[in-house]
Amino acid sequence: MLRRSRALLLGALLVSTPLLALDYRIETLSEGLENPWAVAFLPDGRMLVTERVGRLRIVEADGSVDPEPVAGLPEAFIAAQAGLMDVALDPDYGDNRWLYLTYAYGSLEANNTRLARARLVDDELHDFEVLFTAQPLKAGAAHYGGRIAFLADKTLVLTLGDGFDWREEAQNPANHLGKIVRLNRDGSVPQDNPLVGQEGAAPEIYSLGHRNVQGIFFDAEHNRLYSHEHGPRGGDELNLIEAGNNYGWPLATFGIDYTGARISPYTELPGLIAPLLHWTPSVAPSSLTLYRGELFPEWQDDLFAATLAERSVRRIRVRDGMLAGEEILFEELGERIRDVRSGPDGALYLLTDNPQGRLLRVVPSE
């Protein structure tokens, strides 16, 4: 599939730098994946893909999918948005074989996001450990966050959601709802976390005031941690995350409630961090990566946000630390995009969110 990209500008929010249309080809590597959620690249050229229904699949370099799911996974709570979510390799995977998984844990009446790790040995999971379970357990099956990133010191940040019906708890430092947490890779709490030692505060918290954070990426070259989160009707946000900051939900937001009611009269307030940009109406951002490959020199250092509602990928141009324009890509697929990753071969990889989902690879047209 050969297409040209469509460029746009974001008005006063971004520097008005024109974007050039770029030819690319979209290849289908794998089909028949059931609501795939995340892809990770193994050193041997194979890939791991999670399916929300609770399966971890091995995909060969040629795209063929092992018919048998990886053995050793725990049973996840699966309903609506709940299920198996992210998979990420340890920064020292070549030495220790640890991989990390997120999934919804519990029952419809009492559940939340759980982080675990295991070693991949002979295509099976061994030494399985639960590292963290977000508290409190809550009812319903929405807003789990669930994305993982590793910082420069190899600690782990995990995104979480506000549980949908508990949005005010995003401002409560005593729990994990609507937070990003930071952990050591064994699940212990880093002693330099911003709320360690504060009475009544959960020591795992790294930032607060989030709604449902489903994209996070650490730019090691510039020491920047980017995230994006779902707003309600509008108000999706791209944020630059710093330790201890409060990102405002639900006290300040560009979104309105699904009922049409105003959530807050404020889009910004003193002491709350405003987003780098917001998407209104909502695009439903679902994954975030930064491109540093050789196949698309024009994309170097740009952020890519997959979207569900818009059925696209947003390329967010970054120049000298400033946002410099935005571009809508891959609308021609007409599919919800659950994950976007910059691959080790320089290609861009996509997962489509369908009962018959696909793993796609984007390469130059020539």
Side-chain angles (χ1 to χ4, degrees):
M1 179 184 293
L2 174 61
R3 291 291 188 271
R4 292 174 66 86
S5 59
R6 179 163 72 89
L8 65 122
L9 295 175
L10 287 183
L13 283 177
L14 300 186
V15 179
S16 296
T17 303
L19 300 179
L20 300 177
L22 183 69
D23 290 331
Y24 55 80
R25 184 175 73 253
I26 302 176
E27 304 172 343
T28 299
L29 275 183
S30 308
E31 297 181 286
L33 297 163
E34 189 169 356
N35 293 109
W37 214 91
V39 59
F41 303 94
L42 292 169
D44 61 9
R46 299 183 300 167
M47 289 157 280
L48 295 172
V49 174
T50 57
E51 295 175 306
R52 188 182 56 77
V53 291
R55 292 188 292 262
L56 179 64
R57 312 300 295 268
I58 293 177
V59 179
E60 300 294 334
D62 64 2
S64 58
V65 180
D66 190 323
E68 293 297 324
V70 174
L73 262 76
E75 183 177 352
F77 166 58
I78 300 166
Q81 297 176 12
L84 181 62
M85 294 179 287
D86 211 359
V87 56
L89 303 189
D90 190 280
D92 299 318
Y93 179 84
D95 297 324
N96 61 31
R97 310 290 289 182
W98 285 118
L99 60 85
Y100 297 78
L101 297 160
T102 61
Y103 57 98
Y105 161 80
S107 65
L108 186 61
E109 294 75 27
N111 64 82
N112 214 321
T113 303
R114 174 166 277 185
L115 171 74
R117 70 176 180 177
R119 287 188 170 96
L120 184 65
V121 180
D122 297 328
D123 297 345
E124 295 183 354
L125 297 184
H126 294 262
D127 304 324
F128 186 88
E129 298 180 48
V130 173
L131 301 179
F132 170 81
T133 303
Q135 298 294 329
L137 300 185
K138 45 76 182 177
H143 291 195
Y144 293 91
R147 294 287 184 188
I148 298 167
F150 294 95
L151 302 182
D153 60 3
K154 299 183 183 180
T155 57
L156 176 152
V157 285
L158 167 66
T159 73
L160 300 169
D162 66 353
F164 190 79
D165 288 326
W166 289 267
R167 63 191 184 200
E168 292 80 10
E169 293 300 312
Q171 290 295 321
N172 184 355
N175 65 49
H176 302 124
L177 294 173
K179 313 299 193 300
I180 294 175
V181 298
R182 173 174 172 251
L183 303 165
N184 294 316
R185 289 177 290 168
D186 63 0
S188 61
V189 176
Q191 290 307 295
D192 60 346
N193 269 1
L195 302 189
V196 165
Q198 292 190 21
E199 184 176 356
E204 299 90 352
I205 291 175
Y206 193 67
S207 63
L208 66 159
H210 300 288
R211 187 169 182 267
N212 187 24
V213 187
Q214 287 196 332
I216 194 159
F217 188 89
F218 179 63
D219 177 1
E221 185 171 313
H222 298 104
N223 196 36
R224 296 190 190 112
L225 181 63
Y226 294 101
S227 78
H228 61 51
E229 62 188 78
H230 293 262
R233 291 173 59 184
D236 302 339
E237 295 183 358
L238 176 71
N239 287 300
L240 182 65
I241 302 299
E242 295 182 355
N245 279 351
N246 186 330
Y247 291 83
W249 175 257
L251 301 178
T253 177
F254 287 89
I256 61 172
D257 212 339
Y258 296 108
T259 64
R262 178 182 289 186
I263 294 169
S264 170
Y266 305 107
T267 56
E268 58 183 56
L269 284 169
L272 305 180
I273 305 302
L276 296 177
L277 66 87
H278 69 92
W279 292 286
T280 302
S282 176
V283 300
S286 55
S287 175
L288 186 66
T289 196
L290 186 145
Y291 182 81
R292 284 209 178 100
E294 297 181 356
L295 296 184
F296 295 101
E298 301 89 344
W299 289 353
Q300 282 294 325
D301 292 324
D302 290 344
L303 293 166
F304 289 78
T307 77
L308 300 171
E310 189 176 71
R311 299 174 181 247
S312 71
V313 172
R314 290 278 181 134
R315 173 195 172 198
I316 304 158
R317 195 174 182 193
V318 181
R319 294 295 176 268
D320 298 324
M322 300 285 291
L323 304 189
E326 194 176 20
E327 182 179 18
I328 298 176
L329 297 170
F330 317 136
E331 287 179 294
E332 65 273 15
L333 293 169
E335 297 183 67
R336 291 159 52 94
I337 309 298
R338 172 59 71 180
D339 200 13
V340 57
R341 305 278 175 151
S342 182
D345 58 354
L348 201 66
Y349 287 76
L350 313 175
L351 285 175
T352 66
D353 181 31
N354 297 301
Q356 294 292 315
R358 298 188 291 162
L359 173 61
L360 308 174
R361 179 169 57 197
V362 183
V363 295
S365 59
E366 296 179 0

